[in-house]
Amino acid sequence: MLERLSENNVLIGLVWNYEPTTHEPYYLDWISHLRRTHRQLKTVNVEGEEKTAFCHKLSTLYEPFALWMRELYGDGIYFYEHQDSFYFLIISQGLPVSGSDIVVSRRFWTILKEQLAEAPEYQQLSFRKITEEHVSAVIERCNEHQAKMKKRRQIIIGSLALGGTVLLLTVMVLLKVFIRG
């Protein structure tokens, strides 16, 4: 699954920003470093809350897996077993939770799964195993979105080229008129 997502330019492992509940002395330095070195993605849930993610891939040709899972399948705790590790993603109240959207060891996932089941803010979320159907749906939607974006870019570039050509021809005609008198 992870290889298939990578081949189709679907990203996992984004760094989801959070609001610290207590004073964290290096939080602002960490955020400013991420803003300089990573591409910034913003998303908004139904209630209008904004969440920022930071992606190490700077190109817009990459799609975030977490946002497509949220759009297609809603809130939940999603996980996928990959050899001796687990990928997990928590979407709560329409937003990915900071610290999720990563691959962790089996031991870490076992302990975390128990803690999530007991945590009051995540008790209403159901655990859902990510299947090939989920991955195929996300990849299909990402490909559709990228095709729309490519067509949009082509239209914009064509419009700019046409506008530039018209402007250049207009300037040439005006110069000829002024030179001939």
Side-chain angles (χ1 to χ4, degrees):
M1 176 199 99
L2 300 178
E3 296 84 17
R4 192 165 164 221
L5 290 173
S6 179
E7 290 168 1
N8 287 287
N9 296 335
V10 181
L11 294 175
I12 61 167
L14 276 69
V15 179
W16 294 94
N17 192 11
Y18 67 98
E19 291 298 322
T21 54
T22 61
H23 174 68
E24 294 183 23
Y26 298 108
Y27 175 77
L28 293 177
D29 291 338
W30 175 68
I31 291 297
S32 66
H33 171 72
L34 286 175
R35 285 187 178 138
R36 284 191 311 269
T37 59
H38 290 65
R39 186 179 102 192
Q40 194 171 341
L41 301 167
K42 292 189 184 245
T43 187
V44 179
N45 69 356
V46 180
E47 288 117 26
E49 294 177 60
E50 187 176 273
K51 187 88 165 192
T52 306
F54 298 96
C55 171
H56 65 282
K57 302 276 188 178
L58 299 177
S59 174
T60 58
L61 298 176
Y62 295 94
E63 298 283 332
F65 181 72
L67 297 182
W68 285 107
M69 285 296 288
R70 175 196 70 179
E71 183 177 317
L72 294 172
Y73 302 106
D75 289 357
I77 301 172
Y78 300 96
F79 65 95
Y80 176 78
E81 185 174 1
H82 178 70
Q83 297 167 352
D84 282 342
S85 58
F86 278 83
Y87 166 79
F88 79 98
L89 170 66
I90 302 171
I91 300 174
S92 177
Q93 298 173 357
L95 293 172
V97 174
S98 181
S100 69
D101 194 15
I102 59 171
V103 177
V104 296
S105 69
R106 177 180 300 278
R107 183 174 178 200
F108 182 88
W109 172 246
T110 305
I111 295 168
L112 180 67
K113 191 174 179 181
E114 293 170 6
Q115 291 175 350
L116 289 172
E118 296 171 3
E121 61 266 17
Y122 302 120
Q123 283 181 340
Q124 77 278 7
L125 300 176
S126 60
F127 285 86
R128 299 179 190 172
K129 186 173 176 129
I130 298 173
T131 63
E132 285 300 319
E133 293 172 1
H134 291 112
V135 173
S136 296
V138 167
I139 288 173
E140 182 180 322
R141 292 293 295 268
C142 288
N143 289 338
E144 289 171 6
H145 183 256
Q146 284 299 320
K148 287 179 190 175
M149 295 300 290
K150 184 177 181 180
K151 188 171 186 170
R152 183 177 173 202
R153 278 190 293 268
Q154 289 173 341
I155 289 171
I156 290 172
I157 290 170
S159 299
L160 289 173
L162 182 63
T165 304
V166 168
L167 180 66
L168 185 61
L169 289 173
T170 305
V171 169
M172 287 175 49
V173 168
L174 288 175
L175 281 174
K176 279 194 171 196
V177 168
F178 286 126
I179 291 175
R180 286 189 181 169

